[in-house]
Amino acid sequence: MAKPAQGAKYRGSIHDFPGFDPNQDAEALYTAMKGFGSDKEAILDIITSRSNRQRQEICQSYKSLYGKDLIADLKYELTGKFERLIVGLMRPPAYCDAKEIKDAISGIGTDEKCLIEILASRTNEQMHQLVAAYKDAYERDLEADIIGDTSGHFQKMLVVLLQGTREEDDVVSEDLVQQDVQDLYEAGELKWGTDEAQFIYILGNRSKQHLRLVFDEYLKTTGKPIEASIRRELSGDFEKLMLAVVKCIRSTPEYFAERLFKAMKGLGTRDNTLIRIMVSRSELDMLDIREIFRTKYEKSLYSMIKNDTSGEYKKSLLKLCGGDDDAAGQFFPEAAQVAYQMWELSAVARVELKGTVRPANDFNPDADAKALRKAMKGLGTDEDTIIDIVTHRSNAQRQQIRQTFKSHFGRDLMTDLKSEISGDLARLILGLMMPPAHYDAKQLKKAMEGAGTDEKALIEILATRTNAEIRAINEAYKEDYHKSLEDALSSDTSGHFRRILISLATGNREEGGENLDQAREDAQEIADTPSGDKTSLETRFMTILCTRSYPHLRRVFQEFIKMTNYDVEHTIKKEMSGDVRDAFVAIVQSVKNKPLFFADKLYKSMKGAGTDEKTLTRIMVSRSEIDLLNIRREFIEKYDKSLHQAIEGDTSGDFLKALLALCGGED
C-alpha cells in the first residue's frame, strides 16, 4: 500500500483490515471456491476489505496451505467484469499497471487512452516500479515495447514520462518560471508551426509546483490558459496526452473524477476504465476523487456507480468507493475546499472577462452605411456583406451606422434589414443592431407575450445580468412598451417564481465584498430550514440569493457545504421543483461561474435532435462583447470540443456564417 507523504493524511478508501489473519482469509477463499459454483459474496467481501499488502500475504498463505495459485483459481471461478476487478485487486499496484499497459499495446491496435491515463498520472516512484514490474512479469523492456507500438511526438512524450525523472524540488525559481512561459509561448503561439520539443521538455520534466506557477504566469502573459494553446498548436493523441499531463499537474484527483464520470456517462459503461481507476486509486486518493466528483457533477460517485452497474461487480465497486457522499452525516474532507477554491478562482481570478467582438479599427460609419445600402439595393441581397459588417463592429459602432444610414438615405436601417433577410439570420442580425438593454427588453417581452410563457428565457436574463444592466433593461422596457417590467412580470407569472423574478428585476443586489460572519449566518439561515417546509425554504433562499453580492454568495456556498455536507445546488434540486428550482439553480451557477453557465446553455441548445436557435441566438448576441471568449474556453474544457465545432456541426448557411463570425475563432 502506498504510504502518504510525511505529515499528509491518508486519502484512500481501503485500509488495513484490523485483526487480519492471512491463513484464515486463505481458508475462507478456498472454501468459497470449493465444490460446485462459488460463493462470490464471500470472495468480494474479503478481497475488497483488505489492503493490497494484506492481499499479497493471503496469496502467499494460499500457496503454502494448498499448493495452488490464488489468482489462477480466481480466474477459473469468476467471469467477466467481476473477475477482471477482483484479479486486478489481487495484483500489486505496479504489476496491475504493467498488465493494463501490456493489454493496451498487445494485438491489433493500441489503447492510447489507457497509455495516456497511466503514464500521465503516475509519480516518479510509481513509474520506476512499473518499469521493473513489466520487466519481471513479461521479460520485456517497457520502453522498447512502447516505442514499437507508438510514433511521433506522442511516442517521445510517453518515453520522457516513462523515465520517471520529473523534478521534485518544491523550491521554485521565479526566473525559470518566466523563462519557461516565454519558451512555451514562442514554441507555440508566436511560431509558424509548433516547436513540440519545448512542450515535451518543459511539461515532461519540470516539477508540479513549478508547472502550476508556469500555468498561472502563462495565463497572465498571454491571456489564454495553457490548455487553449495546446489545443490550438497540437493534435491527435499527442494533444490528448499533453492535456492529460496538464490536468494531472493541476489536480490528479480531478483528472480521475473526470475520467470516472465520462466512463459512466451516456449509453454504455467503459468498464475497463472504471475498473482500472477504482483499483489503482483505492489506496491513494479515492476520498479526494469522491469529493471532487460530487462537487463537480452534483452527484456522488457512489450513486453513479450504483445506477450504472449491477450484481457482484456493483457491490465490489461500491466497497472500493467506500461511502456515499450524498448520504447525511458523511465526512467532509479537505478536498471539497480545494474543489471550491478551483471554481471560485475559475469564476473570479482565472482571467478577465473578454468578448469576441471589439470596436473595429479605422471605423467609418459613412462607408459602412453605404456598403449596407448597396448590399440591400436592387435584385437580391448581399448577405455576406451584411454579416461581415454587422458582426465585426461593436454595438456602439452599430448605433452610429444606424444614425448615419438614416441621415444619408432617410431610411430606417432596421426596417430595411427586416425586409431583406429572414429567419434565424434576421433574428441574429437585428438583435446585434439593437442596443443591449433594448435587446434584452425585447427578449423578455417575447418570453411573456402570447399563449404560454418562456420561463427559461426570463430566468436566463434576469438571473445573470448586473445591477447596471438590469436598470438599463427596466428603462428600455418602459420606453419601448409603455409598461413597467415589474407590472409585466406580475401579470404573467405567479407565486414564489414571480417574487424571485421581481426581486431580481429591481437591480438592487449588494455590490460589496464578502463578510465572513454574515456568510456563516446566511448559510445557517438556509441550512436550518426543516426539510419539507417548502414555503419557508424558498423564502429564505430568495432573501439571500437575490440580494447578496456575488463574492459574498461564494463564501455562503462554501460555509453551507461545511455545515451540511451538501452543495447548495444539490439541496435546491432535491428540495424544490419547477420554475422556482430552475431560477435558484441559475443564480447559483451564475455566481459560481457565469461563463460556464452560458457554456452549458449553449451546449444544451445544440444537443440532440434539433437546435434551440432562439437560445443560441440570444446568448451569442448578448455575450459577444462581454465574456464570449471565456464562454468558449469553458465550453471546450467541459465538452472536449470547441464552440466553433459545435456551431459548425449544428447550423448551416448564412446563419452559420454569422454565428462563427461572432464566435471569433476556433480554439
Side-chain angles (χ1 to χ4, degrees):
M1 180 172 65
K3 293 182 179 178
Q6 191 172 5
K9 289 184 180 180
Y10 179 67
R11 307 298 298 148
S13 55
I14 299 295
H15 300 260
D16 283 336
F17 188 75
F20 171 63
D21 183 337
N23 287 337
Q24 184 177 320
D25 284 348
E27 290 171 7
L29 287 169
Y30 182 77
T31 302
M33 293 185 283
K34 190 178 175 184
F36 184 71
S38 54
D39 185 351
K40 295 180 180 65
E41 283 280 355
I43 293 169
L44 77 86
D45 186 58
I46 292 170
I47 292 176
T48 60
S49 301
R50 308 298 187 266
S51 67
N52 193 275
R53 179 187 64 78
Q54 290 175 331
R55 294 183 206 120
Q56 303 318 307
E57 290 187 47
I58 296 170
C59 280
Q60 281 298 118
S61 294
Y62 193 89
K63 186 166 280 188
S64 298
L65 289 170
Y66 305 109
K68 302 177 74 173
D69 182 73
L70 176 55
I71 290 180
D73 280 2
L74 287 167
K75 284 183 177 179
Y76 180 79
E77 291 292 333
L78 308 177
T79 58
K81 295 172 285 191
F82 181 53
E83 178 250 324
R84 187 180 177 91
L85 175 62
I86 293 297
V87 169
L89 288 167
M90 292 306 302
R91 292 191 176 104
Y95 284 80
C96 192
D97 279 350
K99 176 68 165 63
E100 290 292 321
I101 287 184
K102 186 73 168 67
D103 289 346
I105 57 179
S106 294
I108 300 172
T110 304
D111 183 353
E112 289 86 2
K113 289 181 180 178
C114 174
L115 293 180
I116 290 169
E117 179 195 298
I118 293 174
L119 297 184
S121 65
R122 300 313 192 243
T123 64
N124 287 346
E125 182 184 357
Q126 289 168 338
M127 208 70 82
H128 299 154
Q129 291 170 351
L130 163 59
V131 171
Y134 193 91
K135 185 80 170 177
D136 181 52
Y138 307 110
E139 297 181 350
R140 296 177 64 89
D141 181 69
L142 177 53
E143 182 178 326
D145 281 0
I146 283 178
I147 289 173
D149 212 66
T150 58
S151 61
H153 297 297
F154 178 57
Q155 176 198 89
K156 290 173 186 174
M157 186 61 177
L158 291 176
V159 170
V160 167
L161 294 172
L162 202 56
Q163 306 314 302
T165 54
R166 184 178 296 285
E167 297 162 3
E168 294 182 330
D169 192 355
D170 285 337
V171 179
V172 177
S173 162
E174 290 184 15
D175 290 341
L176 186 57
V177 167
Q178 293 297 336
Q179 185 61 53
D180 282 350
V181 168
Q182 192 61 35
D183 288 347
L184 287 170
Y185 193 39
E186 289 177 357
E189 298 285 344
L190 295 182
K191 189 178 179 68
W192 180 260
T194 306
D195 182 358
E196 290 86 354
Q198 278 287 20
F199 279 85
I200 290 171
Y201 176 72
I202 294 171
L203 295 183
N205 289 283
R206 299 291 193 235
S207 72
K208 285 192 169 187
Q209 185 62 29
H210 175 91
L211 285 173
R212 288 179 190 127
L213 292 175
V214 168
F215 299 161
D216 290 344
E217 287 302 314
Y218 190 90
L219 180 60
K220 291 177 188 174
T221 302
T222 69
K224 296 180 179 179
I226 188 68
E227 292 91 338
S229 292
I230 288 172
R231 289 188 181 99
R232 180 183 173 90
E233 299 298 327
L234 311 180
S235 61
D237 293 323
F238 181 46
E239 174 196 344
K240 292 171 187 172
L241 173 59
M242 298 304 261
L243 288 172
V245 169
V246 170
K247 285 178 181 177
C248 288
I249 295 296
R250 290 192 188 277
S251 170
T252 303
E254 185 177 17
Y255 170 71
F256 282 113
E258 184 180 310
R259 292 277 296 158
L260 285 167
F261 179 75
K262 288 179 178 176
M264 293 181 281
K265 162 179 106 161
L267 292 173
T269 304
R270 298 177 180 88
D271 293 291
N272 287 353
T273 301
L274 178 56
I275 291 167
R276 185 170 57 244
I277 297 173
M278 295 302 290
V279 168
S280 66
R281 311 313 293 186
S282 60
E283 295 185 45
L284 295 175
D285 51 7
M286 185 58 70
L287 301 187
D288 295 335
I289 291 168
R290 274 170 44 182
E291 286 297 333
I292 291 174
F293 191 99
R294 185 183 64 174
T295 303
K296 192 167 184 175
Y297 302 112
E298 290 107 36
K299 65 177 79 177
S300 69
L301 175 59
Y302 187 99
S303 66
M304 197 159 182
I305 291 171
K306 190 174 180 181
N307 293 330
D308 214 63
T309 58
S310 60
E312 284 83 10
Y313 175 53
K314 174 172 78 173
K315 291 176 185 175
S316 301
L317 288 170
L318 294 179
K319 289 284 289 288
L320 293 180
C321 185
D324 185 359
D325 299 305
D326 284 338
Q330 282 291 323
F331 58 86
F332 179 72
E334 306 89 335
Q337 279 300 301
V338 173
Y340 266 79
Q341 287 165 12
M342 284 164 62
W343 65 247
E344 189 171 13
L345 286 170
S346 174
V348 183
R350 181 176 174 185
V351 65
E352 63 179 309
L353 297 179
K354 288 184 178 179
T356 53
V357 174
R358 298 174 182 85
N361 295 324
D362 302 321
F363 172 59
N364 185 334
D366 185 69
D368 284 346
K370 288 176 181 176
L372 287 170
R373 175 67 178 144
K374 184 180 178 183
M376 294 184 284
K377 195 175 179 183
L379 188 65
T381 305
D382 182 356
E383 286 88 355
D384 285 346
T385 295
I386 295 171
I387 291 167
D388 185 57
I389 293 174
V390 174
T391 61
H392 291 97
R393 306 295 184 269
S394 68
N395 194 274
Q397 290 175 333
R398 293 183 206 122
Q399 303 317 309
Q400 290 183 55
I401 295 170
R402 286 180 66 177
Q403 189 60 51
T404 302
F405 194 91
K406 184 166 279 188
S407 298
H408 278 359
F409 307 112
R411 301 170 68 93
D412 181 67
L413 177 56
M414 296 289 279
T415 303
D416 281 6
L417 286 168
K418 281 181 188 176
S419 68
E420 293 292 329
I421 55 177
S422 60
D424 295 325
L425 178 65
R427 276 191 288 271
L428 181 67
I429 294 297
L430 291 168
L432 288 167
M433 291 304 302
M434 297 178 72
H438 288 265
Y439 178 72
D440 278 346
K442 184 174 183 180
Q443 297 305 303
L444 290 169
K445 180 74 164 60
K446 282 189 169 184
M448 292 183 282
E449 67 185 6
T453 304
D454 184 352
E455 292 86 2
K456 289 181 180 178
L458 297 179
I459 291 168
E460 178 200 303
I461 295 170
L462 295 176
T464 60
R465 302 312 192 246
T466 65
N467 283 346
E469 288 167 340
I470 291 285
R471 289 167 192 155
I473 292 168
N474 273 290
E475 290 177 13
Y477 199 95
K478 185 79 172 176
E479 179 185 337
D480 293 344
Y481 306 113
H482 311 293
K483 183 178 183 180
S484 75
L485 176 58
E486 182 179 333
D487 287 346
L489 290 168
S490 294
S491 62
D492 207 68
T493 58
S494 61
H496 266 93
F497 182 55
R498 176 172 61 195
R499 292 174 60 196
I500 293 165
L501 294 180
I502 289 174
S503 178
L504 292 172
T506 61
N508 286 324
R509 183 180 293 282
E510 296 166 2
E511 295 187 337
E514 67 176 59
N515 179 318
L516 182 56
D517 291 337
Q518 183 63 53
R520 286 172 178 156
E521 287 182 25
D522 288 345
Q524 194 69 58
E525 176 80 6
I526 53 180
D528 281 347
T529 309
S531 181
D533 187 355
K534 192 173 176 181
T535 301
S536 177
L537 185 68
E538 290 173 352
T539 300
R540 293 183 188 208
F541 267 86
M542 185 183 74
T543 302
I544 292 165
L545 292 184
C546 295
T547 62
R548 303 289 193 255
S549 71
Y550 272 30
H552 181 81
L553 284 173
R554 291 187 189 102
R555 179 59 60 188
V556 172
F557 298 164
Q558 290 190 339
E559 295 303 316
F560 181 86
I561 199 169
K562 284 195 282 187
M563 289 175 186
T564 67
N565 196 39
Y566 283 103
D567 181 278
V568 68
E569 191 176 330
H570 173 99
T571 299
I572 290 167
K573 288 176 178 176
K574 183 180 178 183
E575 298 292 338
M576 301 179 199
S577 61
D579 297 327
V580 170
R581 174 200 61 208
D582 294 344
F584 283 147
V585 166
I587 294 169
V588 170
Q589 290 178 345
S590 181
V591 169
K592 285 181 178 180
N593 185 340
K594 194 178 289 184
L596 179 58
F597 169 79
F598 283 114
D600 285 338
K601 294 278 287 181
L602 284 170
Y603 177 76
K604 288 171 184 173
S605 75
M606 295 180 279
K607 180 183 171 188
T611 304
D612 180 357
E613 289 88 356
K614 289 182 181 178
T615 299
L616 178 57
T617 299
R618 187 170 59 243
I619 295 174
M620 295 297 288
V621 168
S622 65
R623 311 313 295 181
S624 59
E625 291 186 55
I626 299 173
D627 55 3
L628 190 53
L629 189 61
N630 308 80
I631 293 167
R632 273 171 38 186
R633 290 169 182 164
E634 294 293 348
F635 193 99
I636 197 169
E637 182 68 26
K638 184 163 183 180
Y639 298 111
D640 288 328
K641 66 176 173 181
S642 68
L643 178 58
H644 188 284
Q645 289 171 324
I647 290 170
E648 207 166 32
D650 214 65
T651 58
S652 61
D654 293 323
F655 183 49
L656 166 64
K657 291 178 189 175
L659 287 172
L660 292 183
L662 285 182
C663 188
E666 168 73 274
D667 294 303

